Amino acid sequence: MEKKLGLFPMVASILAGMIGSGVYDIAYQLGSVASPGGAIVAWATCFVGMLMFIMSLQNLLDKEPDGDGMYIYARRLAGPLGEFMSGWGYWLSGWIGNIAFATMMMIALGTFFPVLGDTGTSWPSIAIASVVMWGIFLLINRGVENAMVVNAALTVLKVVPLLLFFVVTVTSFSLGVFTKDFWTNFAGNAAAAGTGFDLGSVFSQATNSMLSIIWLFMGVEAAALMSGRAKSKAIASRASILGLVTGTVVLFIISMLPYGIMPADEFVALGEPSVGQMLVQFIGPIGASLVQAATILSIFGCWISYTLMPTESTQILSEHGLLPARWAKRNKQGVATYSLFLTTLLCQVMLFSMHFTEDAYNFGFSLSSSAILVTWVMVTAYNLVRSIRHREEPGSLKSIIVGAVGTAYMLYAMFISGFVYILLLCAPFAVGFVFYYQARKQAGVEKVFNGAEKVAVAVVIAIAAVGIFAYATGLV
């Protein structure tokens, strides 16, 4: 009998995704482009946007609890093709994101084993990353619950160095240092004049900061996606809110503390990862080693999540007749082995290709972030549309506002994340249409695409062709 998950493992699955490799370097990323004030504006914007997303999910889970995860809402918004694109985008986001995790883990291991180099893409690094990747495959294939328990344990362990960082830095925190030139970014512009608040400058700082912060929210939807495995929909709903708030508070504090220790241009000059470099100032080189070890554990937890979640998504799509039946075939432990194997195999192929990529980590997380926005925006958009259609329901006005704000945020996030990546993503979406067509035919559907869907598919394929040409010729 399949075990059902309680509140703690579901919250842990969210935190495992949010508290990943990015938390140890977020202060460096923000300090490079923003003042304390600009960073706070960015955090507030991202939190509100993601809260609207989670509240949209929560409302949909309450009002329409009969669906599996998030994708059924995309179906109700844009039909079966919409559901396919939502789930396929989530699947792409997961295994592409694993490339970023593999690269960063190998960079961290390189601190202890110099033979691995400092890029994370040397052949020895790829060999070790491959062993880890297939080890995760075996772990998940033995049962989702086993993987979730391991993930929960790793979530607890990787918070330890962050607590150490908090303790040693909060005692040295100076409000005077923090508030001096509160709105001026000297790290990003050494010639900036500390003239106080300037709307244009702060807007630019906040926008540039959001690029780094959006990546940290990956995994926040885990409880909703796993709602079918929860003891109840109510637990999945509570886990979503609790996980978002807890993760945001932890990440916000870690990112802002350095601003009160020294000016941004000084802690940026210390290098990466910022948490480790700051700890070196307080407890010596052992601090860097501790953080690198924690980074490895942290990434391992994220890697489990980002292998598990896309496998769940393709399994759901197959069960809904949007992917061939073999994608949903489960083993005795209830795991869709074919989907898990194919996900791992594609990640392996892409990992090999990263040896020839100049900046594999940035490429991986940027492409992954762009892919998941396709899934997220469909949730907030459906919440908006549904709330307008059911204005007689209690709280409909609140739901309309939540959906509208959430959708606006997601569209803006897509804009600032870079349409170059959306361009590149059209290629795997075009490939996915082949599997979609095959599955629909197997389900006995005579007319797979209606008129509007034919136009949408043709546009995606055309953009994919342009993207492939642009990438091959070095234009992007």
Side-chain angles (χ1 to χ4, degrees):
M1 183 177 179
E2 185 178 356
K3 298 178 183 178
K4 293 295 184 179
L5 300 171
L7 183 65
F8 175 71
M10 298 204 75
V11 171
S13 68
I14 295 174
L15 296 181
M18 292 186 68
I19 305 177
S21 59
V23 65
Y24 301 101
D25 199 42
I26 183 60
Y28 176 90
Q29 299 296 332
L30 296 185
S32 299
V33 297
S35 63
I40 290 174
V41 171
W43 269 113
T45 303
C46 289
F47 176 73
V48 170
M50 293 310 300
L51 181 61
M52 297 301 100
F53 168 67
I54 290 299
M55 290 178 67
S56 292
L57 268 178
Q58 190 177 42
N59 182 57
L60 294 174
L61 284 170
D62 291 340
K63 299 292 176 58
E64 299 183 2
D66 55 322
D68 292 322
M70 297 181 290
Y71 318 125
I72 191 65
Y73 305 129
R75 187 188 192 105
R76 292 166 184 171
L77 174 71
L81 183 63
E83 180 183 1
F84 169 77
M85 294 188 71
S86 174
W88 193 256
Y90 194 90
W91 178 68
L92 290 172
S93 174
W95 66 264
I96 292 174
N98 282 341
I99 298 303
F101 296 137
T103 304
M104 186 57 69
M105 178 184 281
M106 293 306 106
I107 291 175
L109 278 174
T111 301
F112 304 102
F113 306 101
V115 69
L116 297 178
D118 59 0
T119 64
T121 56
S122 65
W123 288 121
S125 294
I126 290 175
I128 294 176
S130 299
V131 172
V132 175
M133 184 184 304
W134 289 102
I136 292 174
F137 165 81
L138 294 175
L139 173 65
I140 295 177
N141 200 48
R142 294 183 62 183
V144 170
E145 289 72 26
N146 292 332
M148 295 286 279
V149 170
V150 171
N151 220 355
L154 288 173
T155 299
V156 174
L157 290 175
K158 68 189 181 183
V159 168
V160 173
L162 297 179
L163 289 175
L164 175 61
F165 175 79
F166 175 79
V167 171
V168 300
T169 56
V170 75
T171 55
S172 301
F173 185 88
S174 168
L175 186 61
V177 174
F178 185 78
T179 56
K180 184 180 180 181
D181 299 313
F182 187 73
W183 299 107
T184 305
N185 172 32
F186 289 101
N189 180 13
T195 56
F197 181 84
D198 176 81
L199 182 60
S201 173
V202 173
F203 178 80
S204 177
Q205 292 176 44
T207 298
N208 290 333
S209 299
M210 286 174 63
L211 297 174
S212 300
I213 295 174
I214 288 172
W215 168 244
L216 300 180
F217 283 103
M218 300 285 284
V220 72
E221 73 294 326
L225 183 62
M226 300 290 288
S227 59
R229 296 183 182 273
K231 290 181 179 179
S232 69
K233 296 286 185 180
I235 286 179
S237 180
R238 289 199 299 271
S240 296
I241 296 294
L242 184 59
L244 171 66
V245 173
T246 304
T248 301
V249 169
V250 171
L251 293 167
F252 175 77
I253 291 174
I254 295 301
S255 69
M256 298 308 297
L257 276 174
Y259 282 106
I261 306 299
M262 60 185 73
D265 54 337
E266 293 184 19
F267 71 72
V268 166
L270 294 176
E272 304 176 81
S274 54
V275 168
Q277 297 302 330
M278 291 290 289
L279 280 178
V280 168
Q281 307 302 307
F282 291 96
I283 60 177
I286 190 174
S289 298
L290 178 64
V291 171
Q292 294 291 28
T295 299
I296 294 169
L297 287 176
S298 176
I299 293 172
F300 186 66
C302 291
W303 206 336
I304 291 175
S305 294
Y306 278 70
T307 303
L308 174 62
M309 306 310 287
T311 301
E312 289 277 321
S313 69
T314 50
Q315 176 182 316
I316 291 172
L317 290 180
S318 180
E319 290 172 348
H320 291 184
L322 306 178
L323 282 175
R326 61 182 178 274
W327 291 68
K329 187 176 181 181
R330 305 190 189 197
N331 61 16
K332 294 180 180 179
Q333 286 72 39
V335 178
T337 300
Y338 178 85
S339 288
L340 178 61
F341 175 79
L342 186 60
T343 298
T344 308
L345 181 62
L346 287 172
C347 192
Q348 177 71 79
V349 172
M350 192 167 184
L351 183 60
F352 282 136
S353 72
M354 289 299 100
H355 178 73
F356 308 99
T357 301
E358 185 174 343
D359 194 343
Y361 179 73
N362 283 331
F363 178 81
F365 85 69
S366 298
L367 197 60
S368 176
S369 299
S370 298
I372 204 169
L373 289 172
V374 176
T375 305
W376 287 352
V377 73
M378 288 191 178
V379 172
T380 56
Y382 178 63
N383 184 53
L384 173 61
V385 170
R386 187 197 178 281
S387 299
I388 293 174
R389 290 173 179 170
H390 296 82
R391 286 191 293 271
E392 74 284 355
E393 293 181 346
S396 61
L397 179 59
K398 173 186 173 182
S399 297
I400 290 173
I401 294 173
V402 167
V405 174
T407 301
Y409 168 79
M410 293 302 168
L411 292 175
Y412 182 65
M414 293 176 73
F415 174 75
I416 65 173
S417 68
F419 279 107
V420 168
Y421 293 106
I422 298 295
L423 190 74
L424 294 177
L425 281 170
C426 285
F429 271 108
V431 174
F433 291 147
V434 176
F435 295 109
Y436 174 79
Y437 183 86
Q438 181 184 1
R440 299 297 283 165
K441 283 297 184 181
Q442 288 179 353
V445 177
E446 293 185 7
K447 189 176 181 180
V448 175
F449 301 110
N450 60 32
E453 290 174 339
K454 288 179 180 178
V455 173
V457 169
V459 169
V460 171
I461 292 175
I463 295 175
V466 173
I468 292 172
F469 173 80
Y471 187 74
T473 56
L475 294 177
V476 297

